[in-house]
Amino acid sequence: MKPPAACAGEVLDVASPCPMVNYLRWDLSAQQIEELTRELMEKTKRVYDQVGAQEFEDVSYESTLKALADVEVSYTVQRNILDFPQHVSPSKEIRTASTEADRKLSEFDVEMSMRQDVYQRIVWLQEKVEKDTLRPEATRYLERLIKLSRRNGLHLPEETQQKIKNIKKKLSLLCIDFNKNLNEDTTFLPFTREELGGLPEDFLNSLEKTEDDKLKVTLKYPHYFPLLKKCYVPETRRKVEEAFNCRCKAENCAILKELVALRAQKSSLLGFSTHADYVLEMNMAKTSQVVATFLDELAQKLKPLGEQERAAILELKKAECERRGLPYDARINAWDMRYYMNQVEEMRYSVDQNLLKEYFPMQVVTQGLLAIYQELLGLTFDREEGATVWHKDVTLYTVRDSASGQVIGKFYLDLYPREGKYGHAACFGLQPGCLRPDGSRQISIAAMVANFTKPTPDAPALLQHDEVETYFHEFGHVMHQLCSQAEFAMFSGTHVERDFVEAPSQMLENWVWEREPLLRMSRHYRTGDAVPPGLLDKLIQSRQANTGLFNLRQIVLAKVDQALHTQTGADPAEEYARLCQEILGVPATPGTNMPATFGHLAGGYDAQYYGYLWSEVYSTDMFHTRFKQEGVLNSKVGMDYRSCILRPGGSQDASAMLKCFLGREPRQDAFLLSKGLLVEGSEPPAC
């Protein structure tokens, strides 16, 4: 049982009901973080001690289940105040203190989750309580606490419990180190302007210079992806791709091997044959065999498409080598893939990404995106002027239900890269939307953290179309956090099955491929013109570009993850290289170790990376069955979506939510059609 979730801002006491309150604070010094961490653990432990000391006759809903739920509310918020700054604070001292707090709190979480005395009282409560006297969500909470306790081995002998506890502590610390290594990586490569041929002027002008006047290319996303897509100098791409997939190689390779071995050991102690089976028990897929079948069948269907795409890429490469007088090696290297996939888009679909991004200035995209979400989900967003934030680039918005005017939550946007900041794009739930101890509703607060291209003195931040897609996706998670109306913090927001959690935001990615929404979030940054109709049509058609290779790569990553968590002693780098060759037909660069840079393996997606593809089955079904049929900006469908899919949070099973929204059981047809595959009895997708 993880310590219950909380309202932020206090290890200070919370007394009065203040439903609209943002309890979060970002002004703590490193010393305060340390002191408040200790205070939070002491305060939370007292509640666990009280629950665990009860006699059988004293155990009741109020003294046991509600006590644990209430402390979960205060603990979660307070924990986020202390451990979120490690990802975003501009101060290295604060980031270090926050990481240290996360270490201590992770150990504490393990201690509290292994409380045999508390488990015993929950079991007693289940024996005593009349089932129908509890609200459905309270029953689900009780059953979930017992299930989680058994998954921690609290029904096993004490000696086994101790082993599990020790392993869990080690695992949490290793995961923190793995991701800290990646976040703090400051590697850069110096290049001349000639070596960066093909990259646009605005990109080159944004790069810092070395003392000998070379340009610094870091391995952060806004440098790495544009370079791999646009630089026509193969040697430059090779150096950058190799460096990117060698980040933290030595230290993270060692951590990963230890993580995998410890996970297998823990799962075995709990009676599971593999770590994957242990993890998947709580997911929609249920077993590793079901996942293996899903991935194998999809790979088989996509392979012919992948072969066609590889052949087209080789033709492009051969022609380019002849044109530029470069040696042609008749193979696709890892550093060629994004470059030629981009050329396919530009040549086959005539989509010039450099031209296109001029129509996606950050401010216009943000305004359009926020307007679409407001209209679709019946919400109103207001920017808070002068809000207290952790960095000057960050903005805070208040979200109201349009019909009632009631505040339902707030969200922070932190969109640009900076040193030491979390390197990907993600949504962090900071204050869970749930009931407080006095029965009032606590508003939900989330942060969207991303690393989009920064503005330069000559131009605003201009987004690549795939960055616009990422923006829509992550903001979908923010809406899930804010629109959920669960009673318990454990079921708030995105606390759904891990292989469903991506579906709500994946579904919303579809809007960046539809004409009307695209026109609403784009405008040329200099002239104010709309995207020309021809370019817009080509962009929409290009969605099918490279779909075989892109999805086969997702299958490679999902299979690496499954292999590490189902086999004994699999070598991550070897496994990745084998699967790249076998499934993708593109070899991994010798000497690299991509899994050592794969944050998901230490970020809560262990044995669950398949979930991105799995949940896409549901996201495409939802989109094509309702929105595509009834109108992509149809607010009635949007409200059905908010009420059936977002509102419950994790208080219902995903399968029940899907049935509510679709009016039937989900099907795979729309998913397969979206990948350019034919389904029996269906028309090919219209391009």
Side-chain angles (χ1 to χ4, degrees):
M1 299 148 307
K2 196 174 175 186
C7 305
E10 96 261 3
V11 163
L12 331 160
D13 270 311
V14 184
S16 58
C18 30
M20 299 315 149
V21 174
N22 175 353
Y23 293 97
L24 301 162
R25 52 182 295 195
W26 312 113
D27 58 350
L28 297 177
S29 66
Q31 188 183 345
Q32 284 175 304
I33 289 175
E34 189 183 340
E35 288 164 5
L36 289 173
T37 300
R38 187 175 61 251
E39 220 174 295
L40 176 62
M41 293 191 292
E42 286 167 3
K43 188 176 166 188
T44 308
K45 183 175 179 294
R46 280 200 294 277
V47 177
Y48 275 72
D49 290 346
Q50 285 160 6
V51 171
Q54 296 176 102
E55 300 296 338
F56 179 80
E57 54 273 14
D58 299 329
V59 167
S60 68
Y61 171 79
E62 291 287 329
S63 69
T64 308
L65 207 62
K66 186 172 187 303
L68 293 170
D70 289 348
V71 76
E72 186 168 4
V73 177
S74 52
Y75 179 85
T76 301
V77 181
Q78 198 59 40
R79 192 191 201 296
N80 290 332
I81 291 172
L82 299 168
D83 77 4
F84 177 61
Q86 70 183 303
H87 304 296
V88 295
S89 173
S91 154
K92 182 150 191 178
E93 186 191 11
I94 303 277
R95 291 198 304 273
T96 304
S98 176
T99 304
E100 192 49 44
D102 192 9
R103 281 184 217 283
K104 287 176 181 160
L105 291 164
S106 296
E107 286 204 31
F108 177 73
D109 291 346
V110 173
E111 287 288 347
M112 295 305 102
S113 72
M114 299 296 291
R115 290 283 296 256
Q116 174 72 44
D117 54 347
V118 175
Y119 169 59
Q120 187 57 62
R121 272 66 191 176
I122 298 167
V123 171
W124 285 349
L125 179 65
Q126 192 178 43
E127 289 166 9
K128 285 175 76 170
V129 79
E130 297 282 333
K131 254 270 177 84
D132 51 11
T133 62
L134 292 180
R135 300 185 309 282
E137 198 175 317
T139 302
R140 185 179 178 87
Y141 185 59
L142 176 62
E143 288 168 354
R144 182 64 60 86
L145 288 180
I146 288 176
K147 176 82 164 171
L148 293 176
S149 299
R150 291 180 68 84
R151 284 172 60 77
N152 284 325
L154 294 184
H155 58 302
L156 297 173
E158 201 168 324
E159 187 189 344
T160 311
Q161 286 182 40
Q162 193 54 49
K163 283 182 189 166
I164 291 168
K165 186 196 287 191
N166 293 340
I167 291 172
K168 283 183 69 174
K169 283 186 178 179
K170 274 190 206 160
L171 285 171
S172 63
L173 297 180
L174 288 167
C175 287
I176 290 167
D177 286 342
F178 188 97
N179 283 305
K180 181 172 191 277
N181 291 339
L182 291 171
N183 282 354
E184 297 287 346
D185 179 76
T186 54
T187 308
F188 70 86
L189 285 77
F191 292 107
T192 61
R193 278 182 101 81
E194 293 68 40
E195 289 170 322
L196 297 174
L199 286 157
E201 278 301 306
D202 65 336
F203 178 89
L204 297 173
N205 293 339
S206 73
L207 299 176
E208 290 180 22
K209 292 188 173 178
T210 61
E211 285 174 7
D212 57 355
D213 226 31
K214 285 192 173 181
L215 297 171
K216 281 186 180 184
V217 171
T218 71
L219 301 178
K220 303 295 181 201
Y221 284 10
H223 287 184
Y224 178 70
F225 289 120
L227 187 144
L228 251 67
K229 282 182 181 178
K230 297 295 289 183
C231 179
Y232 59 65
V233 184
E235 184 57 16
T236 301
R237 293 199 312 271
R238 186 192 67 76
K239 284 178 180 169
V240 172
E241 188 274 337
E242 185 174 10
F244 186 80
N245 286 313
C246 283
R247 285 173 301 152
C248 313
K249 184 166 92 167
E251 56 273 44
N252 277 5
C253 183
I255 290 175
L256 186 56
K257 285 189 174 173
E258 197 176 348
L259 275 176
V260 167
L262 286 169
R263 286 168 179 161
Q265 200 181 330
K266 184 183 79 161
S267 303
S268 170
L269 289 169
L270 289 163
F272 290 86
S273 51
T274 69
H275 177 66
D277 287 306
Y278 164 75
V279 165
L280 296 170
E281 182 194 34
M282 300 297 281
N283 284 5
M284 295 181 82
K286 296 297 179 235
T287 71
S288 58
Q289 193 45 60
V290 170
V291 173
T293 304
F294 170 70
L295 294 172
D296 287 342
E297 285 180 356
L298 188 56
Q300 275 314 110
K301 288 171 181 164
L302 286 167
K303 267 194 168 171
L305 205 52
E307 280 164 19
Q308 288 169 25
E309 289 171 10
R310 281 202 310 275
I313 282 176
L314 280 173
E315 276 180 38
L316 286 173
K317 181 172 177 177
K318 189 175 184 186
E320 169 142 341
C321 287
E322 283 169 8
R323 195 169 67 250
R324 294 193 183 279
L326 296 165
Y328 173 63
D329 57 6
R331 55 185 268 176
I332 303 170
N333 302 298
W335 59 89
D336 292 329
M337 227 172 100
R338 287 182 194 275
Y339 179 72
Y340 288 105
M341 281 165 84
N342 185 63
Q343 279 205 9
V344 167
E345 285 179 26
E346 292 189 353
M347 297 173 91
R348 181 170 298 177
Y349 296 94
S350 310
V351 176
D352 179 345
Q353 294 292 352
N354 280 343
L355 171 63
L356 192 62
K357 77 177 184 187
E358 296 183 1
Y359 291 90
F360 290 119
M362 172 63 86
Q363 200 177 351
V364 174
V365 173
T366 300
Q367 282 170 354
L369 174 144
L370 296 181
I372 289 166
Y373 272 103
Q374 288 173 92
E375 192 176 306
L376 205 57
L377 299 175
L379 301 170
T380 310
F381 304 157
D382 294 303
R383 183 167 168 177
E384 280 192 28
E385 297 302 330
T388 307
V389 291
W390 52 87
H391 186 273
K392 63 180 172 50
D393 290 349
V394 180
T395 50
L396 176 64
Y397 290 80
T398 297
V399 179
R400 289 179 171 79
D401 174 66
S402 299
S404 67
Q406 188 173 355
V407 174
I408 63 163
K410 297 175 188 253
F411 63 84
Y412 296 92
L413 295 179
D414 182 355
L415 302 177
Y416 302 114
R418 55 183 177 268
E419 193 168 313
K421 180 181 159 182
Y422 178 81
H424 307 271
C427 166
F428 292 83
L430 298 174
Q431 179 169 301
C434 58
L435 297 184
R436 293 184 44 72
D438 63 4
S440 65
R441 174 159 286 282
Q442 171 171 289
I443 60 165
S444 172
I445 302 177
M448 182 186 152
V449 177
N451 287 272
F452 295 135
T453 310
K454 288 181 88 159
T456 65
D458 313 319
L462 300 175
L463 299 187
Q464 300 273 353
H465 181 257
D466 58 1
E467 291 183 303
V468 178
E469 188 173 44
T470 298
Y471 199 166
F472 247 76
H473 175 99
E474 295 305 337
F475 198 79
H477 285 308
V478 172
M479 290 296 95
H480 199 174
Q481 293 282 10
L482 269 59
C483 292
S484 102
Q485 296 285 298
E487 295 172 22
F488 291 87
M490 182 181 275
F491 301 131
S492 67
T494 54
H495 286 144
V496 296
E497 293 95 321
R498 187 48 83 108
D499 52 2
F500 180 68
V501 74
E502 296 299 333
S505 34
Q506 282 172 337
M507 195 207 68
L508 292 153
E509 287 174 24
N510 288 290
W511 274 250
V512 308
W513 295 101
E514 296 285 329
R515 176 181 302 277
E516 194 183 342
L518 274 169
L519 286 170
R520 287 182 60 173
M521 59 177 128
S522 59
R523 205 166 55 239
H524 194 277
Y525 80 98
R526 274 203 307 267
T527 64
D529 293 346
V531 183
L535 183 56
L536 198 61
D537 289 341
K538 287 165 183 165
L539 171 66
I540 291 167
Q541 287 168 11
S542 75
R543 190 174 193 180
Q544 291 286 327
N546 307 305
T547 186
L549 290 175
F550 176 81
N551 286 285
L552 286 168
R553 183 169 183 274
Q554 288 294 85
I555 291 171
V556 167
L557 297 178
K559 276 179 159 285
V560 168
D561 176 31
Q562 288 297 307
L564 293 178
H565 295 114
T566 52
Q567 300 168 17
T568 329
D571 179 276
E574 282 173 22
E575 202 58 41
Y576 176 71
R578 181 182 69 77
L579 288 162
C580 278
Q581 193 63 61
E582 202 175 283
I583 290 170
L584 196 57
V586 176
T589 304
T592 58
N593 189 336
M594 184 274 164
T597 72
F598 191 9
H600 288 77
L601 295 176
Y605 277 78
D606 41 305
Q608 299 179 94
Y609 193 81
Y610 78 92
Y612 281 97
L613 284 165
W614 179 278
S615 55
E616 215 182 317
V617 171
Y618 306 119
S619 66
T620 44
D621 198 1
M622 288 191 286
F623 179 70
H624 286 277
T625 301
R626 295 291 314 271
F627 286 100
K628 199 68 177 158
Q629 298 299 319
E630 299 171 51
V632 292
L633 292 172
N634 181 324
S635 57
K636 184 201 171 300
V637 184
M639 289 305 285
D640 284 353
Y641 181 70
R642 181 176 154 191
S643 125
C644 295
I645 302 293
L646 304 181
R647 185 186 173 91
S651 65
Q652 297 173 19
D653 289 348
S655 53
M657 297 188 241
L658 284 162
K659 199 168 177 183
C660 160
F661 183 66
L662 294 167
R664 57 163 170 76
E665 296 294 337
R667 293 200 284 261
Q668 232 190 37
D669 299 14
F671 170 71
L672 296 172
L673 284 167
S674 76
K675 302 297 175 205
L677 299 169
L678 287 177
V679 177
E680 273 180 53
S682 68
E683 295 294 313
C687 280

